[in-house]
């Protein structure tokens, strides 16, 4: 049973450190945070925009306890508010899976949602973050390493309609590097669990107004 094996692996891996981090809600913050962890292996990354300070659940594999403390201290010195959750059973068992939730409707009107898959090799996630267009704000990010050959990331980006051609160029570039992507902007799970509901209007709309999906826009 793969789910059981994954559970045992996660509970037995004492090298994994779960932390909560606060970062500025601005473009480039994800990459800056990741570079403080690299070259250590990041095994989890979970975030959803709220309109306040960005709060992230993430875990990484330190060499030893001293290495872990150096990373946490370094994050603090760089202005990232960091909380060590290694002994917090609520966080490890439940909180890490519940992080995020629904984003405010006013912040999702220009949002698009994508699933990405790429070969799971050292540095793959860093390269993925480095190639993200710097002028597109990341409003959702979820990654969890399961030791498989393929890495899977769920990402939402705030992309103005006038900038969608640039996003399409980025997606084509990723495809040329062996990454695959699927747009999920119209997925019912996205609307039901990741978007703030809005009251019915005269058109019967119950979801925030958004631009059409990129894959349907003819860009």
């Amino acid at each position: 049973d793969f789910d059981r094996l994954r559970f045992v692996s996660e509970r037995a891996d004492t090298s994994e450190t779960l932390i909560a981090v606060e970062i500025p809600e601005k473009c480039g913050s994800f990459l800056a945070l990741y570079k403080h962890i690299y070259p250590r292996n990041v095994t989890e990354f979970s975030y959803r925009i709220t309109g306040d300070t960005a709060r992230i659940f993430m875990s990484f594999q330190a060499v030893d306890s001293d290495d872990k403390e150096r990373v946490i201290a370094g994050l603090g010195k760089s202005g990232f508010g960091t909380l060590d959750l290694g002994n917090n059973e609520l966080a490890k068992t439940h909180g890490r899976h519940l992080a995020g939730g629904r984003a405010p409707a006013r912040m999702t009107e220009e949002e698009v949602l994508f699933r990405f898959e790429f070969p799971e090799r050292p540095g793959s996630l860093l390269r993925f973050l480095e190639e993200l267009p710097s002028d597109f704000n990341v409003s959702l990010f979820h990654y969890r390493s399961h030791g498989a050959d393929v890495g899977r990331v769920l990402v939402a980006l705030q992309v103005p309609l006038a900038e969608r051609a640039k996003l399409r160029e980025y997606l084509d570039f990723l495809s040329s590097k062996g990454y695959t992507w699927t747009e999920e902007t119209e997925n019912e799970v996205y609307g039901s669990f990741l978007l703030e509901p809005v009251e019915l209007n005269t058109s019967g709309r119950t979801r925030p107004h958004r631009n059409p999906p990129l894959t349907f826009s003819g860009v």
Side-chain angles (χ1 to χ4, degrees):
D1 186 292
F2 286 108
D3 289 333
R4 178 62 182 171
L5 289 173
R6 183 168 62 227
F7 172 81
V8 171
S9 175
E10 288 179 353
R11 305 305 287 179
D13 189 357
T14 57
S15 70
E16 186 178 67
T17 298
L18 179 65
I19 58 177
V21 187
E22 291 187 352
I23 68 174
E25 190 73 87
K26 63 181 183 180
C27 298
S29 293
F30 276 97
L31 183 57
L33 171 62
Y34 189 90
K35 286 185 174 180
H36 278 282
I37 308 296
Y38 191 79
R40 301 164 188 86
N41 186 35
V42 171
T43 55
E44 184 173 7
F45 207 117
S46 185
Y47 157 76
R48 182 61 165 138
I49 195 170
T50 63
D52 300 316
T53 301
R55 294 176 174 84
I56 297 169
F57 265 104
M58 69 180 301
S59 54
F60 65 93
Q61 292 176 315
V63 175
D64 51 34
S65 59
D66 290 338
D67 186 45
K68 179 190 80 171
E69 295 302 326
R70 282 194 296 271
V71 171
I72 293 175
L75 289 171
K77 289 179 180 178
S78 298
F80 296 108
T82 307
L83 181 62
D84 184 356
L85 300 174
N87 295 317
N88 190 315
E89 285 301 315
L90 173 61
K92 291 193 292 184
T93 305
H94 299 289
R96 69 199 307 173
H97 305 295
L98 297 173
R102 293 177 171 181
R106 61 182 172 81
M107 305 189 74
T108 59
E109 291 187 356
E110 297 180 327
E111 187 175 77
V112 288
L113 183 71
F114 289 88
R115 285 188 295 112
F116 294 94
E117 294 186 359
F118 52 83
E120 188 72 280
R121 303 189 184 101
S124 292
L125 184 57
L126 174 61
R127 287 191 292 274
F128 177 82
L129 290 172
E130 287 179 331
E131 296 297 342
L132 279 173
S134 59
D135 48 350
F136 295 160
N137 188 47
V138 176
S139 50
L140 178 150
F141 197 96
H142 182 261
Y143 166 80
R144 177 61 172 157
S145 173
H146 294 300
D149 293 334
V150 177
R152 295 177 173 86
V153 180
L154 182 67
V155 181
L157 299 169
Q158 294 175 324
V159 185
L161 190 60
E163 298 294 322
R164 290 196 164 196
K166 184 182 296 184
L167 176 58
R168 192 56 186 253
E169 290 175 2
Y170 166 67
L171 294 172
D172 290 342
F173 169 78
L174 288 182
S175 297
S176 72
K177 298 297 182 181
Y179 292 71
T180 61
W181 57 269
T182 302
E183 183 170 11
E184 297 288 7
T185 308
E186 293 296 293
N187 192 303
E188 60 185 9
V189 171
Y190 175 50
S192 298
F193 293 96
L194 300 174
L195 296 175
E196 178 184 53
V198 297
E199 294 182 2
L200 280 171
N201 57 25
T202 55
S203 66
R205 184 192 302 277
T206 58
R207 295 171 61 178
H209 172 74
R210 294 194 316 278
N211 293 321
L214 177 69
T215 47
F216 296 161
S217 64
V219 175

